[in-house]
Amino acid sequence: MAAYLAPFSVALPFSSFNGDRTPRIRLLRCFSTKFASSSLFLNSVGRKKSPFVSFNSMSNNGGNVDISQEQEAPRKFVWGDGKKPRVCILGGGFGGLYTSLRLESLEWPDDKKPQVLLIDQSERFVFKPMLYELLSGEVDSWEIAPRFSDLLAKTGVQFLQDRVKLLHPSDNLRMSGPTRSTYGGTVHLESGLTIEYDWLVLALGADSKRDVVPGAAEYAIPFSTLDDAWKVNDKLKILERKTFGTNTPVSVAVVGCGYSGVELAATISERLQNRGTVKAINVGNEIIPDAPPGNRQAAEKVLSSRKVQLLQGYFVSCIRQNNDIRSLGKQTDMEDIGNTSGAYDPDKLILELKPTEKGQQSQLLEADLVLWTVGSRSLLPQLEPCEPYELPLNGRGQVETEETLRVKGHPRIFAVGDSSATRDSKGKLLPPTAQVAFQQADFAGWNLWAAINERPLLPFRYQNLGEMMVLGRNDAALSPTFIEGLTFEGPVGHAARKLAYLYRLPTDEHRLKVGISWLTKSAVESVALLQDAVTKVLQGS
């Protein structure tokens, strides 16, 4: 995943947070049989015996909604104030969370400040550009994946953990018949809950696209969520223990050599060192082709120094388990599939590689772990259709927007991040990156303010401020755009990247807590390095 610099000025309070991996949540048992499989998970903040889910949108209870076990299955969401505007934000990534915080930071007339509801299927916000540091052990999960309830504890923004099932927009410009001038539509959740809104923000994001290659969904692990990072880390620990004290190296295959693939290959190769091998498969003949030359050159130098094997000009046509190939009577010669130990291992994965250019031969590649970093798809098309469901989606499943980030044909719906097909001044689609989502959230928050207060909306103008990538525990590359040709590499680039991301964390209090943690870790590491240096000097004398 690409890592970017972006301006952002939202600053909100932060409450205390426990950073362990175990979610302290409970499955509410108040649903009927029809909704027994609901994905609605909520924290308890109080008991009410109302047949509806209701709360005061301006309370400081951390934004959690509670439903007691005596209640029936929730059917309709009741907002706290029947007169104030109702803003529903779907998705709590960079686009959704930062839009909600932007709305909170603006000055509102007393009767116009909206009630804001943020909905996400996860209980945690994830700062995705720093997932790689979980594999290297440089950061703790609480630092880059705080709970929404903690981030929003001292704000008026309410949080609901649920999964969106379908949309029923009622603001379509082509609709006939009378409609409420302030009514935008309805959101239906998998829990059975129905939410009416006046304004809607689509920020559902995207997930990995692995169904185009046989076996990829079953055997390859994507790397875009906190669960993905934990899964990869746990798998690496198992492989490291399994091969400890043996001459059999851990074999990792990374599919894709964009930003995410290169960052993964660099991070894992540094972690494994001589105990493993990393092979990166790229369909083209150049890694991260859209990156600034300085970033690409820094990445090539690091990958070469860590002996990462680049298989360029190949695409993966199939992934199978070793025992699947043997049961099908396929070629299992260990030499043909790059086996280094010479022993048959049924748990090994076999990748079938096909060349993209003439003159190259097909290959079989063996790996203990396959990481998938190519292809993504918007989550919008996965919503069940509901009339009048007429959102203008492009071929990628993104919704087409106007310059103001408002969805075409729907004056009460805005779209940001991976859900938005926003174009630059030349008509080119903007990349689905963190930097774009940061900037869109700022504009979306402002334009919602303008729309609610009947002011002119501002056209979104994207500014590419630079690109950066992590290449190891103390290595990174950063190419700002304000000085052409300048690239910060190695420890300097690493420090600059961490400072930039520290500044981009959601709230002031979380930023302060993480900053203290990083400073403490840095001090401990410095002391350890000094002790090692002194020990070596004394031993040499």
Side-chain angles (χ1 to χ4, degrees), residues 217-381:
E218 294 83 2
Y219 302 121
I221 303 178
F223 197 80
S224 60
T225 68
L226 184 62
D227 286 340
D228 293 338
W230 280 338
K231 188 180 297 184
V232 173
N233 189 56
D234 291 342
K235 180 65 175 177
L236 285 172
K237 286 181 179 179
I238 293 172
L239 292 171
E240 287 167 336
R241 287 195 296 266
K242 180 180 178 181
T243 59
F244 180 77
T246 69
N247 294 324
T248 304
V250 176
S251 177
V252 179
V254 179
V255 182
C257 287
Y259 266 107
S260 183
V262 169
E263 289 175 296
L264 265 179
T267 300
I268 294 177
S269 63
E270 181 186 54
R271 170 171 170 166
L272 295 177
Q273 296 183 4
N274 295 328
R275 295 174 287 110
T277 60
V278 177
K279 297 179 181 180
I281 305 160
N282 189 31
V283 69
N285 292 315
E286 186 177 53
I287 64 171
I288 44 177
D290 296 328
N295 277 16
R296 188 183 310 112
Q297 293 168 7
E300 290 173 344
K301 182 169 58 177
V302 167
L303 296 181
S304 175
S305 66
R306 295 179 189 161
K307 298 180 181 180
V308 174
Q309 183 180 351
L310 295 177
L311 298 173
Q312 305 201 70
Y314 287 95
F315 69 92
V316 179
S317 62
C318 182
I319 303 176
R320 302 181 189 275
Q321 268 193 316
N322 210 350
N323 56 0
D324 292 338
I325 291 182
R326 174 161 288 188
S327 65
L328 292 172
K330 292 208 172 197
Q331 173 68 39
T332 57
D333 190 313
M334 296 300 106
E335 185 177 348
D336 290 343
I337 60 176
N339 183 279
T340 56
S341 66
Y344 172 74
D345 186 344
D347 294 328
K348 292 280 188 179
L349 299 173
I350 307 300
L351 293 79
E352 298 183 12
L353 307 184
K354 300 294 184 182
T356 58
E357 297 180 359
K358 293 182 179 180
Q360 291 180 304
Q361 299 296 321
S362 298
Q363 294 190 36
L364 293 179
L365 180 66
E366 185 183 65
D368 298 297
L369 174 63
V370 179
L371 303 178
W372 195 269
T373 69
V374 294
S376 64
R377 57 184 173 188
S378 171
L379 294 176
L380 286 176

Side-chain angles (χ1 to χ4, degrees), residues 86 140 187 198 233 266-267 271 287 370 386 407 414 424 530:
R86 302 166 298 180
D140 297 320
V187 174
D198 299 318
N233 189 56
T267 300
R271 170 171 170 166
I287 64 171
V370 179
C386 179
V407 174
F414 291 80
D424 60 19
L530 180 60

Side-chain angles (χ1 to χ4, degrees), residues 48-78:
K48 294 184 180 181
K49 295 187 178 182
S50 166
F52 302 111
V53 181
S54 62
F55 50 79
N56 186 336
S57 67
M58 300 308 295
S59 65
N60 292 331
N61 61 7
N64 295 298
V65 188
D66 178 66
I67 311 169
S68 71
Q69 295 186 5
E70 294 117 352
Q71 292 175 334
E72 297 178 358
R75 303 293 299 185
K76 185 176 180 181
F77 182 85
V78 178

Side-chain angles (χ1 to χ4, degrees), residues 108-162:
W108 295 87
D110 292 337
D111 59 337
K112 291 290 185 68
K113 184 170 184 178
Q115 304 164 91
V116 180
L117 176 64
L118 177 67
I119 302 173
D120 194 89
Q121 64 186 13
S122 172
E123 69 163 352
R124 296 174 184 267
F125 163 73
V126 181
F127 201 95
K128 291 186 177 182
M130 298 199 74
L131 281 175
Y132 310 96
E133 277 84 338
L134 283 178
L135 300 183
S136 64
E138 191 173 350
V139 302
D140 297 320
S141 60
W142 69 265
E143 296 171 341
I144 64 167
R147 290 186 176 93
F148 286 109
S149 57
D150 292 324
L151 293 175
L152 302 174
K154 297 181 182 179
T155 74
V157 179
Q158 304 295 322
F159 172 67
L160 180 63
Q161 186 177 352
D162 206 331

